[in-house]
């Protein structure tokens, strides 16, 4: 492979562009970096690193920067492949080139009345999300997002372009879906899409006076909720910023947000909640799939996010009370948002055609995030995260579920020892010299 990559170094604007991350708490500082817009760029960067005995690392949007290990001495490739999202409406498939954010996929699919298994933020890179599991906003009905990958295209350490699927190198196809990375540079994935005709989504916010009743009613509903609905419960202590609606400032509010694939299911959830008290803001509405990435109102600009996350077994009312006690009014919490994300449904069912990570044994995902520029110091946020973790520890499954809350990532794998060994054998086969070894990490489930 020729060594002609447009490599950039610290101090070069091209280096800054390639190393930029969404979460500024974990800046990327490799020895060299480039934005790869072609297969030739990727191959040349691999050749450059190999000739100098440097490892190769890969990232796109940098949302998961806090989960990455140090890039010191490595060459970072930021894939931004041309071509755009390709939709095959008849087969209900999308081909997504590396570097594409979910917003582009959602818009392209929605033009054909189709939806994709994306998360809560349109700015997240689609491929990283898919390969790390992916708790979709449609996940309770569809299962983990990774189970909807039909093919993966990647360039391995030898410079070869490989397209793997259930028929072509099924072992690599199995390992790359949830195996933790480190197999090469993924240049595109092909995913299944699905039709939507009766979509209801939004978020309702209540003042803290109604919090205990709303949270209790929501939790009781989750125990028997239909798979057609995926929701989250958030306690929000929002700062006094111009872009935040005034009714959401001045103290904690509780929010129920989500997506329903059937209007009647949304009514069954929201009707009893609205009878508890009138929401101060209510955005639930009939909508098309193109609006779903905005439902959760995740930040769309880079920032410094410090937080923690847990996968929880059934917490019961005792666990829910502990969550409110540590995050709500009177808790002294510096967290901007503390969330319980509903899991279960198809996400709890192993998919025999899925990859190495194909389901989750958990009922809820907890995520809490603080922003030092807005409330609390980094030390205060970390200290409170530890207190929340201790309070929820009786229901902690011991697994990892990163969202956008980086900075306290504590990777703990989901896979069995046998699966870990099998994945490692695949890594050695496709990268015998360990060029991508530093890019591998314990498998995680992206929930944002």
């Amino acid at each position: 492979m020729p060594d002609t990559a447009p490599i950039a170094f610290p101090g070069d604007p091209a280096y800054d562009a390639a190393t930029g991350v969404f979460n500024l708490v974990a800046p990327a500082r490799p020895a060299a970096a480039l934005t790869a817009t072609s297969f030739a760029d990727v191959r040349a960067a691999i050749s450059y690193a190999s000739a100098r005995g440097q490892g190769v690392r890969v990232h796109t949007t940098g949302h998961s920067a806090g989960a990455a290990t140090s890039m010191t001495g490595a060459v970072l490739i930021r894939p931004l492949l041309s071509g755009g999202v390709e939709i095959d409406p008849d087969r209900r498939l999308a081909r997504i080139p590396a570097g594409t954010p979910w917003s582009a996929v959602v818009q392209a699919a929605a033009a054909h009345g189709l939806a994709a298994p994306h998360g809560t933020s349109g700015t997240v890179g689609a491929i990283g999300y898919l390969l790390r599991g992916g708790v979709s906003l449609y996940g309770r009905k569809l299962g983990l997002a990774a189970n909807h990958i039909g093919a993966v295209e990647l360039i391995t350490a030898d410079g070869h372009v490989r397209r793997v699927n259930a028929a072509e190198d099924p072992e690599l196809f199995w390992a790359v879906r949830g195996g933790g990375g480190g197999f090469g540079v993924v240049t595109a994935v092909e995913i299944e899409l699905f039709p939507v005709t009766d979509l209801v989504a939004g978020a309702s916010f209540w003042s803290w006076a109604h919090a205990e009743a709303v949270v209790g009613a929501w939790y009781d509903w989750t125990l028997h909720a239909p798979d057609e609905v995926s929701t989250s419960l958030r306690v929000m202590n929002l700062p006094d910023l111009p872009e935040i609606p005034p009714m959401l400032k001045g103290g904690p509010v509780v929010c129920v947000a989500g997506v329903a694939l059937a209007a009647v299911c949304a009514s069954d959830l929201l009707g009893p909640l609205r009878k508890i008290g009138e929401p101060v803001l209510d955005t639930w509405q009939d909508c098309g799939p193109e609006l779903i990435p905005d439902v959760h109102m995740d930040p769309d600009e880079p920032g410094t996010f410090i937080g923690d996350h847990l996968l929880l077994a059934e917490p019961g009312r005792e666990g829910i009370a502990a969550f409110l006690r540590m995050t709500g009014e009177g808790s002294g919490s510096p967290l901007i948002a503390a969330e319980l994300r509903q899991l279960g449904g198809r996400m709890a069912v192993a998919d025999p055609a899925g990859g190495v990570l194909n389901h989750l044994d958990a009922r809820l995902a907890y995520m809490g995030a603080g922003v030092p520029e807005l409330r609390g110091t980094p030390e205060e946020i970390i200290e409170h995260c530890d207190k929340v973790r201790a309070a929820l520890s009786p229901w902690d499954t011991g697994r990892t579920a990163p969202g956008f809350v980086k900075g306290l990532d504590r990777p703990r794998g989901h896979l069995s020892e046998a699966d870990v060994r099998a994945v490692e054998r695949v890594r050695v086969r496709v990268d015998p010299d360990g060029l991508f070894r530093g890019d591998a990490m314990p498998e995680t489930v992206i929930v944002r």
Side-chain angles (χ1 to χ4, degrees), residues 39-349:
F39 288 1
D41 286 347
V42 174
R43 288 192 180 102
I46 291 173
S47 176
Y48 176 94
S50 180
R52 291 160 179 78
Q54 296 174 294
V56 176
R57 306 295 296 279
V58 184
H59 82 184
T60 52
T61 64
H63 279 77
S64 297
T69 55
S70 172
M71 294 188 184
T72 301
V75 175
L76 172 65
I77 300 175
R78 186 186 202 115
L80 190 60
L81 278 294
S82 61
V85 180
E86 300 173 16
I87 304 294
D88 183 336
D90 295 329
R91 298 169 62 207
R92 296 177 182 169
L93 298 176
R95 182 183 180 276
I96 307 170
T100 304
W102 269 124
S103 57
V105 182
V106 170
Q107 293 297 324
H112 302 278
L114 299 171
H118 61 86
T120 61
S121 173
T123 65
V124 169
I127 287 180
Y129 178 95
L130 286 163
L131 296 180
R132 300 286 187 187
V135 174
S136 166
L137 286 171
Y138 308 104
R140 285 174 44 77
K141 183 66 174 178
L142 300 178
L144 286 184
N147 293 342
H148 297 273
I149 299 174
V152 176
E153 300 169 22
L154 72 163
I155 299 177
T156 47
D158 56 10
H160 291 162
V161 179
R162 303 177 188 229
R163 176 182 167 87
V164 299
N165 53 34
E168 303 171 70
D169 201 339
E171 184 183 51
L172 178 54
F173 183 52
W174 170 82
V176 77
R177 292 176 292 161
F183 303 99
V185 180
V186 174
T187 56
V189 299
E190 184 177 276
I191 65 167
E192 301 169 339
L193 304 174
F194 61 98
V196 287
T197 56
D198 190 16
L199 197 59
V200 180
S204 296
F205 299 81
W206 286 266
S207 68
W208 195 253
H210 300 298
E212 184 175 355
V214 167
V215 174
W218 171 82
Y219 175 71
D220 289 346
W221 171 84
T222 68
L223 298 177
H224 307 286
D227 293 353
E228 285 78 10
V229 189
S230 297
T231 64
S232 64
L233 183 288
R234 284 178 288 166
V235 173
M236 309 185 77
N237 285 281
L238 297 170
D240 187 7
L241 296 175
E243 60 267 27
I244 294 177
M247 72 286 292
L248 303 184
K249 298 184 286 191
V253 294
V254 63
C255 169
V256 174
V259 176
L261 290 165
V264 64
C265 295
S267 297
D268 290 344
L269 164 66
L270 296 171
L273 294 180
R274 288 167 174 159
K275 289 180 180 178
I276 292 171
E278 184 178 355
V280 296
L281 179 65
D282 196 336
T283 69
W284 283 84
Q285 60 182 310
D286 297 337
C287 64
E290 69 280 358
L291 297 182
I292 300 303
D294 299 326
V295 164
H296 209 258
M297 296 185 287
D298 280 354
D300 55 11
E301 294 294 332
T304 303
F305 306 106
I306 298 176
D308 202 5
H309 50 267
L310 305 169
L311 287 182
L312 301 175
E314 190 63 74
R317 281 298 190 101
E318 182 184 358
I320 297 301
F323 168 76
L324 287 177
R325 186 170 61 250
M326 297 304 303
T327 60
E329 191 170 70
S331 66
S333 171
L335 303 179
I336 299 297
E339 175 177 342
L340 296 176
R341 179 76 59 83
Q342 188 185 6
L343 301 177
R346 285 288 299 278
M347 285 187 285
V349 180

Side-chain angles (χ1 to χ4, degrees), residues 390-413:
L392 297 178
S393 62
W395 306 280
D396 182 4
T397 65
R399 304 305 183 196
T400 304
F404 71 95
V405 286
K406 304 304 174 186
L408 277 184
D409 277 316
R410 299 157 170 162
R412 295 166 293 166

